[in-house]
Amino acid sequence: MRKGFLIVLVVVLAAAFAAPAMAGTDINGFYKSRAFLTNYVQYYGGDYGTTVGPPRKDAATMAFVEQRMRLKITSGEENVKAVAQFEIDSVWGDVKGNGQSASGGGLGTDATNIETKNAYVWFKVPNTSLDVTVGLQWQTDSYAGVFMNVADMAGIFVNGKADPVTYRLGWAKWSEGGNNAANRLDLERANDYTFYLAEAKFAPAKDVKVGANLYMLQNDMGRPSGYIQRVYMPGFDATFGAGPATINAWAFYQFGKYTDYADPATSDVNIGGFAADVRADLKAGPGKAFVEALYISGGDNNSVKYKSIVDAGYTNSIFIRTDMQILLLAADVLTGVSGLYASSPGDKTMGNGGRGLTHLAAGYTQKLSDKLTGKVGIGYLAATKLSKADVATGYIKKDMGTEFNASLNYSIAKGLDVGVVGAYALIGDFFKTSATDAGNPDNAFDLHARIGYVF
Protein backbone atom coordinates (compact mmCIF):
# COMPACT_ATOMS: atom_id res chain seq x y z
CA MET A 1 0.00 0.00 0.00
CA ARG A 2 2.87 2.33 0.81
CA LYS A 3 4.49 1.69 -2.58
CA GLY A 4 1.19 2.14 -4.36
CA PHE A 5 0.63 5.47 -2.65
CA LEU A 6 4.09 6.69 -3.66
CA ILE A 7 3.48 5.68 -7.28
CA VAL A 8 0.20 7.63 -7.30
CA LEU A 9 1.95 10.65 -5.79
CA VAL A 10 4.75 10.55 -8.39
CA VAL A 11 2.24 10.33 -11.24
CA VAL A 12 0.29 13.29 -9.89
CA LEU A 13 3.44 15.38 -9.52
CA ALA A 14 4.70 14.43 -12.99
CA ALA A 15 1.39 15.38 -14.56
CA ALA A 16 1.36 18.70 -12.71
CA PHE A 17 4.83 19.66 -13.98
CA ALA A 18 4.48 18.26 -17.52
CA ALA A 19 1.15 19.88 -18.37
CA PRO A 20 1.01 23.44 -17.05
CA ALA A 21 -2.17 24.07 -19.02
CA MET A 22 -4.06 21.36 -17.16
CA ALA A 23 -6.00 21.86 -13.93
CA GLY A 24 -3.89 23.09 -11.03
CA THR A 25 -2.62 20.65 -8.41
CA ASP A 26 -1.80 21.64 -4.84
CA ILE A 27 -0.14 19.51 -2.15
CA ASN A 28 -0.27 20.57 1.48
CA GLY A 29 -0.54 19.08 4.93
CA PHE A 30 1.33 18.87 8.22
CA TYR A 31 3.79 16.91 10.31
CA LYS A 32 3.42 16.77 14.10
CA SER A 33 5.32 14.89 16.79
CA ARG A 34 5.07 14.73 20.59
CA ALA A 35 7.61 13.22 23.02
CA PHE A 36 6.02 12.21 26.35
CA LEU A 37 7.12 11.70 29.93
CA THR A 38 4.01 10.68 31.87
CA ASN A 39 2.42 8.28 34.33
CA TYR A 40 -0.81 8.34 32.37
CA VAL A 41 -1.21 7.14 28.79
CA GLN A 42 -3.82 5.69 26.51
CA TYR A 43 -2.24 4.41 23.33
CA TYR A 44 -4.19 2.18 20.97
CA GLY A 45 -1.87 1.43 18.06
CA GLY A 46 0.77 -1.14 17.21
CA ASP A 47 1.30 -3.78 19.87
CA TYR A 48 0.15 -1.57 22.75
CA GLY A 49 -3.15 -2.31 24.47
CA THR A 50 -5.81 0.31 25.09
CA THR A 51 -5.99 1.50 28.70
CA VAL A 52 -8.69 3.61 30.30
CA GLY A 53 -8.62 5.50 33.56
CA PRO A 54 -6.03 7.28 35.65
CA PRO A 55 -2.74 5.79 36.86
CA ARG A 56 -3.01 3.23 39.61
CA LYS A 57 -1.03 3.32 42.83
CA ASP A 58 2.72 3.75 42.24
CA ALA A 59 2.27 3.72 38.47
CA ALA A 60 5.52 3.62 36.49
CA THR A 61 6.62 6.63 34.46
CA MET A 62 6.37 6.05 30.73
CA ALA A 63 8.25 7.71 27.89
CA PHE A 64 7.42 7.47 24.20
CA VAL A 65 7.33 9.52 20.99
CA GLU A 66 4.36 9.64 18.65
CA GLN A 67 3.96 11.32 15.29
CA ARG A 68 1.43 12.04 12.56
CA MET A 69 1.77 13.24 8.98
CA ARG A 70 -1.12 14.26 6.75
CA LEU A 71 -0.85 14.83 3.04
CA LYS A 72 -3.64 16.50 1.07
CA ILE A 73 -3.67 16.49 -2.74
CA THR A 74 -6.10 18.86 -4.46
CA SER A 75 -6.52 18.97 -8.23
CA GLY A 76 -8.96 21.02 -10.27
CA GLU A 77 -9.94 24.59 -11.02
CA GLU A 78 -12.09 27.31 -9.49
CA ASN A 79 -15.44 25.56 -9.77
CA VAL A 80 -14.52 21.89 -9.35
CA LYS A 81 -11.82 20.10 -7.36
CA ALA A 82 -10.90 16.51 -6.56
CA VAL A 83 -9.36 15.97 -3.12
CA ALA A 84 -7.49 13.03 -1.59
CA GLN A 85 -6.09 13.18 1.94
CA PHE A 86 -3.89 10.54 3.59
CA GLU A 87 -2.55 10.07 7.11
CA ILE A 88 0.38 8.16 8.58
CA ASP A 89 0.45 7.61 12.38
CA SER A 90 3.02 5.78 14.47
CA VAL A 91 4.79 5.60 17.79
CA TRP A 92 8.56 5.43 17.40
CA GLY A 93 9.75 1.85 17.76
CA ASP A 94 6.34 0.24 18.18
CA VAL A 95 6.22 -2.46 15.46
CA LYS A 96 7.54 -2.71 11.94
CA GLY A 97 4.21 -3.59 10.37
CA ASN A 98 1.09 -5.52 11.26
CA GLY A 99 -1.46 -4.22 8.79
CA GLN A 100 -2.86 -1.86 11.42
CA SER A 101 -3.14 1.92 11.34
CA ALA A 102 -1.21 3.94 13.93
CA SER A 103 1.74 1.56 13.73
CA GLY A 104 4.92 1.10 11.71
CA GLY A 105 7.41 3.02 13.83
CA GLY A 106 9.64 0.02 14.43
CA LEU A 107 12.99 -0.73 12.84
CA GLY A 108 12.47 -1.01 9.09
CA THR A 109 9.31 1.15 9.36
CA ASP A 110 7.67 -0.58 6.39
CA ALA A 111 4.00 -1.00 7.21
CA THR A 112 0.55 -0.76 5.71
CA ASN A 113 -0.29 2.15 7.97
CA ILE A 114 -1.46 4.71 5.41
CA GLU A 115 -5.01 5.78 6.21
CA THR A 116 -7.32 7.21 3.58
CA LYS A 117 -8.90 10.16 5.38
CA ASN A 118 -10.71 11.82 2.47
CA ALA A 119 -11.46 11.09 -1.18
CA TYR A 120 -14.09 13.39 -2.65
CA VAL A 121 -15.07 15.81 -5.40
CA TRP A 122 -16.22 19.36 -4.64
CA PHE A 123 -18.00 21.56 -7.16
CA LYS A 124 -20.11 24.69 -7.53
CA VAL A 125 -23.53 24.40 -9.14
CA PRO A 126 -23.64 26.87 -12.08
CA ASN A 127 -25.81 29.99 -11.66
CA THR A 128 -26.54 29.23 -7.99
CA SER A 129 -24.98 29.84 -4.60
CA LEU A 130 -24.69 26.08 -4.02
CA ASP A 131 -21.53 24.05 -3.61
CA VAL A 132 -21.59 20.29 -3.22
CA THR A 133 -19.14 17.79 -1.70
CA VAL A 134 -19.52 14.12 -2.70
CA GLY A 135 -17.46 11.24 -1.29
CA LEU A 136 -15.31 10.50 1.76
CA GLN A 137 -15.10 13.83 3.58
CA TRP A 138 -14.94 15.37 7.03
CA GLN A 139 -17.81 17.18 8.72
CA THR A 140 -18.08 19.05 12.02
CA ASP A 141 -21.18 19.86 14.07
CA SER A 142 -22.30 23.25 15.39
CA TYR A 143 -21.66 22.14 18.98
CA ALA A 144 -17.87 22.41 19.46
CA GLY A 145 -17.41 18.80 18.37
CA VAL A 146 -19.40 17.20 21.20
CA PHE A 147 -21.52 15.31 18.67
CA MET A 148 -18.98 15.04 15.82
CA ASN A 149 -15.67 16.85 15.36
CA VAL A 150 -13.85 16.67 12.00
CA ALA A 151 -15.46 13.26 11.59
CA ASP A 152 -14.64 11.43 8.34
CA MET A 153 -17.67 9.97 6.59
CA ALA A 154 -19.01 9.03 3.17
CA GLY A 155 -21.87 11.16 1.96
CA ILE A 156 -23.22 14.19 0.12
CA PHE A 157 -23.27 17.66 1.71
CA VAL A 158 -24.58 20.87 0.17
CA ASN A 159 -23.84 24.45 1.25
CA GLY A 160 -25.91 27.38 0.07
CA LYS A 161 -26.61 31.04 0.74
CA ALA A 162 -29.65 33.31 0.57
CA ASP A 163 -28.63 36.52 2.34
CA PRO A 164 -28.66 36.89 5.27
CA VAL A 165 -29.07 33.12 5.68
CA THR A 166 -26.56 30.36 4.94
CA TYR A 167 -27.51 26.71 5.11
CA ARG A 168 -26.06 23.19 5.00
CA LEU A 169 -27.85 19.97 4.08
CA GLY A 170 -26.30 16.53 4.27
CA TRP A 171 -26.72 12.78 4.15
CA ALA A 172 -24.04 10.25 5.10
CA LYS A 173 -23.79 6.48 5.38
CA TRP A 174 -21.93 5.67 8.60
CA SER A 175 -22.21 1.93 8.13
CA GLU A 176 -23.33 -0.24 5.23
CA GLY A 177 -24.70 -3.67 6.09
CA GLY A 178 -23.09 -3.77 9.52
CA ASN A 179 -19.66 -3.29 7.90
CA ASN A 180 -19.74 -6.92 6.76
CA ALA A 181 -19.36 -6.58 3.01
CA ALA A 182 -18.21 -10.21 2.74
CA ASN A 183 -21.78 -11.26 3.41
CA ARG A 184 -23.97 -10.22 0.50
CA LEU A 185 -27.08 -10.69 2.64
CA ASP A 186 -25.81 -7.87 4.85
CA LEU A 187 -25.66 -5.57 1.82
CA GLU A 188 -29.22 -6.44 0.89
CA ARG A 189 -30.69 -5.97 4.35
CA ALA A 190 -31.85 -2.65 5.78
CA ASN A 191 -29.25 -2.82 8.53
CA ASP A 192 -27.35 0.39 7.84
CA TYR A 193 -26.38 3.39 9.97
CA THR A 194 -27.44 6.64 8.30
CA PHE A 195 -26.99 10.28 9.31
CA TYR A 196 -29.04 13.29 8.19
CA LEU A 197 -28.25 16.98 8.72
CA ALA A 198 -30.03 20.30 8.13
CA GLU A 199 -28.68 23.64 9.38
CA ALA A 200 -29.55 27.30 8.79
CA LYS A 201 -27.46 30.24 10.05
CA PHE A 202 -28.93 33.75 10.26
CA ALA A 203 -26.74 36.86 10.56
CA PRO A 204 -29.10 39.75 11.41
CA ALA A 205 -26.30 42.19 12.28
CA LYS A 206 -22.53 42.49 12.35
CA ASP A 207 -20.93 40.18 14.94
CA VAL A 208 -24.22 38.32 15.48
CA LYS A 209 -25.00 34.86 14.12
CA VAL A 210 -27.79 32.53 15.17
CA GLY A 211 -28.26 28.97 13.95
CA ALA A 212 -31.07 26.42 13.99
CA ASN A 213 -30.05 22.80 13.43
CA LEU A 214 -31.68 19.41 13.07
CA TYR A 215 -29.76 16.11 12.96
CA MET A 216 -31.07 12.56 12.79
CA LEU A 217 -29.51 9.13 13.31
CA GLN A 218 -31.16 6.06 11.80
CA ASN A 219 -29.31 3.06 13.14
CA ASP A 220 -30.57 -0.28 11.83
CA MET A 221 -27.34 -2.22 12.38
CA GLY A 222 -29.16 -4.47 14.86
CA ARG A 223 -31.41 -5.96 12.18
CA PRO A 224 -32.40 -8.74 12.11
CA SER A 225 -31.23 -10.00 15.51
CA GLY A 226 -30.65 -7.06 17.85
CA TYR A 227 -31.39 -3.47 18.74
CA ILE A 228 -32.20 -0.64 16.35
CA GLN A 229 -32.08 3.04 17.17
CA ARG A 230 -33.72 6.33 16.17
CA VAL A 231 -32.33 9.61 17.46
CA TYR A 232 -33.74 13.06 16.62
CA MET A 233 -31.63 16.06 17.56
CA PRO A 234 -32.94 19.66 17.34
CA GLY A 235 -30.66 22.43 18.59
CA PHE A 236 -29.41 25.98 18.23
CA ASP A 237 -26.13 27.88 18.33
CA ALA A 238 -25.36 31.59 18.65
CA THR A 239 -22.28 33.83 18.53
CA PHE A 240 -22.39 37.50 19.45
CA GLY A 241 -20.36 40.32 20.96
CA ALA A 242 -20.92 41.48 24.54
CA GLY A 243 -18.64 44.38 25.42
CA PRO A 244 -15.04 43.15 25.32
CA ALA A 245 -16.12 39.52 25.02
CA THR A 246 -17.28 37.27 22.21
CA ILE A 247 -19.91 34.82 23.45
CA ASN A 248 -20.58 31.45 21.86
CA ALA A 249 -23.50 29.42 23.20
CA TRP A 250 -25.25 26.32 21.99
CA ALA A 251 -27.64 23.62 23.14
CA PHE A 252 -29.28 20.54 21.70
CA TYR A 253 -31.83 17.99 22.83
CA GLN A 254 -32.06 14.36 21.76
CA PHE A 255 -35.11 12.15 21.77
CA GLY A 256 -35.84 8.76 20.27
CA LYS A 257 -35.75 5.07 21.11
CA TYR A 258 -33.70 1.91 21.31
CA THR A 259 -35.94 -0.94 20.12
CA ASP A 260 -35.28 -4.67 20.32
CA TYR A 261 -35.99 -5.62 16.73
CA ALA A 262 -35.54 -9.33 17.42
CA ASP A 263 -37.99 -9.37 20.34
CA PRO A 264 -40.86 -6.88 19.93
CA ALA A 265 -42.16 -7.88 23.37
CA THR A 266 -39.12 -6.24 24.99
CA SER A 267 -39.82 -2.73 26.24
CA ASP A 268 -38.25 0.11 24.28
CA VAL A 269 -35.62 2.30 25.94
CA ASN A 270 -36.53 5.96 25.52
CA ILE A 271 -33.74 8.43 24.78
CA GLY A 272 -33.99 11.87 26.37
CA GLY A 273 -30.67 13.67 26.80
CA PHE A 274 -29.35 17.15 26.20
CA ALA A 275 -26.13 19.15 26.15
CA ALA A 276 -25.39 22.87 26.47
CA ASP A 277 -22.30 25.07 26.49
CA VAL A 278 -21.40 28.73 27.02
CA ARG A 279 -17.98 30.20 26.24
CA ALA A 280 -16.64 33.73 26.50
CA ASP A 281 -13.44 34.84 24.74
CA LEU A 282 -12.08 38.25 25.65
CA LYS A 283 -9.04 40.46 25.59
CA ALA A 284 -7.37 40.59 28.99
CA GLY A 285 -4.54 43.10 29.17
CA PRO A 286 -1.79 42.09 26.75
CA GLY A 287 -3.28 38.65 26.18
CA LYS A 288 -6.50 36.75 25.58
CA ALA A 289 -8.59 34.80 28.08
CA PHE A 290 -11.54 32.41 27.96
CA VAL A 291 -14.01 30.86 30.38
CA GLU A 292 -16.28 27.97 29.43
CA ALA A 293 -18.94 25.73 30.94
CA LEU A 294 -20.12 22.48 29.33
CA TYR A 295 -23.03 20.37 30.60
CA ILE A 296 -24.10 16.96 29.28
CA SER A 297 -27.06 15.33 30.99
CA GLY A 298 -26.91 11.89 32.53
CA GLY A 299 -29.04 9.22 34.20
CA ASP A 300 -28.68 6.49 36.80
CA ASN A 301 -30.53 3.67 35.01
CA ASN A 302 -29.86 3.50 31.28
CA SER A 303 -31.74 0.22 30.83
CA VAL A 304 -35.03 2.02 31.58
CA LYS A 305 -34.41 5.47 30.08
CA TYR A 306 -31.20 6.74 28.50
CA LYS A 307 -30.80 10.32 29.75
CA SER A 308 -27.42 11.19 28.26
CA ILE A 309 -26.48 11.88 24.64
CA VAL A 310 -25.73 9.65 21.67
CA ASP A 311 -22.77 10.86 19.63
CA ALA A 312 -20.71 9.79 16.62
CA GLY A 313 -18.35 7.71 18.75
CA TYR A 314 -14.74 7.80 19.93
CA THR A 315 -12.29 9.80 17.75
CA ASN A 316 -15.31 11.24 15.92
CA SER A 317 -16.82 13.05 18.93
CA ILE A 318 -14.10 15.02 20.70
CA PHE A 319 -14.33 18.22 22.71
CA ILE A 320 -10.93 19.92 22.48
CA ARG A 321 -11.44 23.65 22.64
CA THR A 322 -10.65 24.03 26.36
CA ASP A 323 -7.30 22.33 25.55
CA MET A 324 -7.20 20.00 28.54
CA GLN A 325 -4.21 17.64 28.42
CA ILE A 326 -5.45 14.89 30.76
CA LEU A 327 -9.13 15.30 31.65
CA LEU A 328 -10.34 15.62 28.06
CA LEU A 329 -8.45 15.88 24.78
CA ALA A 330 -5.71 18.34 23.88
CA ALA A 331 -6.13 20.59 20.86
CA ASP A 332 -3.05 18.96 19.28
CA VAL A 333 -4.07 15.37 20.09
CA LEU A 334 -2.44 12.81 17.77
CA THR A 335 -2.57 9.05 18.38
CA GLY A 336 -1.41 8.12 21.84
CA VAL A 337 -3.13 10.00 24.66
CA SER A 338 -6.84 10.06 25.31
CA GLY A 339 -8.92 11.78 27.98
CA LEU A 340 -10.27 10.63 31.32
CA TYR A 341 -13.84 11.14 30.13
CA ALA A 342 -13.69 7.60 28.70
CA SER A 343 -15.61 5.35 31.07
CA SER A 344 -14.41 2.03 29.63
CA PRO A 345 -12.43 0.66 26.66
CA GLY A 346 -15.71 0.04 24.83
CA ASP A 347 -17.28 3.40 25.62
CA LYS A 348 -15.11 6.39 24.83
CA THR A 349 -17.99 8.77 24.17
CA MET A 350 -19.02 12.16 25.51
CA GLY A 351 -21.98 10.49 27.25
CA ASN A 352 -19.58 8.95 29.81
CA GLY A 353 -21.37 5.61 29.93
CA GLY A 354 -24.75 7.34 30.22
CA ARG A 355 -23.65 9.39 33.24
CA GLY A 356 -23.04 12.64 31.33
CA LEU A 357 -20.32 15.21 31.97
CA THR A 358 -19.97 18.60 33.65
CA HIS A 359 -16.89 20.59 32.65
CA LEU A 360 -15.67 24.03 33.74
CA ALA A 361 -12.51 25.60 32.31
CA ALA A 362 -10.58 28.85 31.97
CA GLY A 363 -7.36 29.84 30.24
CA TYR A 364 -5.08 32.72 29.35
CA THR A 365 -2.74 33.13 26.34
CA GLN A 366 -0.13 35.86 25.82
CA LYS A 367 2.64 36.58 23.36
CA LEU A 368 5.87 36.89 25.33
CA SER A 369 7.88 37.98 22.30
CA ASP A 370 7.52 38.04 18.52
CA LYS A 371 8.10 34.29 18.34
CA LEU A 372 7.28 33.02 21.87
CA THR A 373 3.75 32.45 23.20
CA GLY A 374 2.74 31.27 26.67
CA LYS A 375 -0.50 29.71 27.82
CA VAL A 376 -1.99 28.55 31.15
CA GLY A 377 -5.23 26.73 31.84
CA ILE A 378 -7.35 25.14 34.54
CA GLY A 379 -10.26 22.73 34.23
CA TYR A 380 -12.66 20.65 36.31
CA LEU A 381 -14.51 17.52 35.19
CA ALA A 382 -17.28 15.55 36.88
CA ALA A 383 -19.93 12.98 36.06
CA THR A 384 -23.33 14.66 35.92
CA LYS A 385 -25.14 11.67 37.40
CA LEU A 386 -23.79 8.48 38.98
CA SER A 387 -25.26 5.17 37.92
CA LYS A 388 -27.01 2.98 40.45
CA ALA A 389 -24.03 0.62 40.32
CA ASP A 390 -21.70 3.53 41.14
CA VAL A 391 -23.79 4.58 44.12
CA ALA A 392 -23.98 1.00 45.39
CA THR A 393 -20.20 0.89 45.84
CA GLY A 394 -20.34 3.58 48.52
CA TYR A 395 -17.02 5.06 47.45
CA ILE A 396 -17.42 6.25 43.83
CA LYS A 397 -18.26 9.96 43.61
CA LYS A 398 -19.00 12.39 40.76
CA ASP A 399 -15.64 14.21 40.92
CA MET A 400 -13.39 13.05 38.06
CA GLY A 401 -10.56 15.52 38.48
CA THR A 402 -9.10 19.03 38.40
CA GLU A 403 -6.32 19.86 35.95
CA PHE A 404 -3.68 22.60 35.79
CA ASN A 405 -1.69 23.02 32.58
CA ALA A 406 0.78 25.37 30.92
CA SER A 407 2.67 25.57 27.65
CA LEU A 408 5.32 27.54 25.80
CA ASN A 409 5.43 27.64 22.02
CA TYR A 410 8.21 29.06 19.85
CA SER A 411 7.96 29.81 16.12
CA ILE A 412 11.21 28.88 14.36
CA ALA A 413 10.10 29.74 10.82
CA LYS A 414 6.92 30.13 8.83
CA GLY A 415 4.82 27.05 9.51
CA LEU A 416 7.41 25.49 11.86
CA ASP A 417 7.09 25.69 15.64
CA VAL A 418 8.26 23.82 18.73
CA GLY A 419 6.93 23.80 22.25
CA VAL A 420 6.76 22.21 25.66
CA VAL A 421 3.56 21.33 27.52
CA GLY A 422 3.04 20.37 31.15
CA ALA A 423 -0.11 19.26 33.00
CA TYR A 424 -1.00 17.91 36.43
CA ALA A 425 -4.40 16.49 37.39
CA LEU A 426 -5.81 15.86 40.86
CA ILE A 427 -7.80 12.68 40.25
CA GLY A 428 -11.25 12.49 41.84
CA ASP A 429 -13.10 9.67 43.59
CA PHE A 430 -14.98 8.75 40.41
CA PHE A 431 -11.96 6.59 39.57
CA LYS A 432 -11.59 4.80 42.92
CA THR A 433 -11.55 1.02 42.63
CA SER A 434 -12.17 0.22 46.30
CA ALA A 435 -12.88 1.90 49.63
CA THR A 436 -9.33 1.27 50.82
CA ASP A 437 -6.26 3.41 50.22
CA ALA A 438 -5.10 0.88 47.63
CA GLY A 439 -8.12 1.81 45.52
CA ASN A 440 -7.15 5.48 45.30
CA PRO A 441 -5.58 6.35 41.95
CA ASP A 442 -2.40 8.38 41.74
CA ASN A 443 -2.64 11.92 40.49
CA ALA A 444 -1.68 12.16 36.81
CA PHE A 445 1.08 14.17 35.18
CA ASP A 446 1.97 14.81 31.57
CA LEU A 447 5.09 16.52 30.26
CA HIS A 448 5.74 16.53 26.55
CA ALA A 449 7.75 18.37 23.92
CA ARG A 450 6.18 18.94 20.55
CA ILE A 451 7.17 19.99 17.03
CA GLY A 452 4.82 20.91 14.20
CA TYR A 453 5.25 21.91 10.57
CA VAL A 454 2.36 23.01 8.37
CA PHE A 455 3.11 23.12 4.65
Side-chain angles (χ1 to χ4, degrees), residues 396-420:
I396 293 178
K397 306 299 180 185
K398 292 182 180 179
D399 177 26
M400 300 175 77
T402 300
E403 176 181 325
F404 307 88
N405 58 61
S407 65
L408 287 172
N409 196 70
Y410 184 80
S411 176
I412 297 176
K414 183 179 179 180
L416 177 64
D417 61 279
V418 296
V420 60

Side-chain angles (χ1 to χ4, degrees), residues 437-453:
D437 183 63
N440 293 326
D442 282 351
N443 293 328
F445 69 87
D446 164 19
L447 179 65
H448 67 267
R450 54 172 300 277
I451 183 170
Y453 178 52

Side-chain angles (χ1 to χ4, degrees), residues 311-392:
D311 61 27
Y314 178 59
T315 75
N316 296 303
S317 306
I318 52 177
F319 182 79
I320 62 174
R321 71 178 185 181
T322 56
D323 203 17
M324 294 292 104
Q325 303 295 319
I326 298 173
L327 297 183
L328 290 164
L329 289 179
D332 66 342
V333 63
L334 298 181
T335 66
V337 177
S338 193
L340 286 183
Y341 70 95
S343 61
S344 72
D347 179 18
K348 304 186 183 95
T349 63
M350 297 300 296
N352 190 24
R355 304 174 181 89
L357 291 171
T358 300
H359 177 49
L360 305 173
Y364 178 77
T365 303
Q366 179 181 327
K367 290 200 71 171
L368 304 177
S369 68
D370 289 342
K371 293 182 175 294
L372 184 64
T373 301
K375 181 178 180 181
V376 294
I378 183 173
Y380 171 76
L381 188 67
T384 299
K385 185 80 172 182
L386 293 179
S387 69
K388 288 185 176 180
D390 295 334
V391 174

Side-chain angles (χ1 to χ4, degrees), residues 272-274 295-302 305-309 351 354-357 384-386:
F274 68 93
Y295 182 88
I296 299 175
S297 64
D300 60 4
N301 192 344
N302 296 316
K305 184 173 183 179
Y306 187 77
K307 295 184 179 180
S308 193
I309 64 170
R355 304 174 181 89
L357 291 171
T384 299
K385 185 80 172 182
L386 293 179

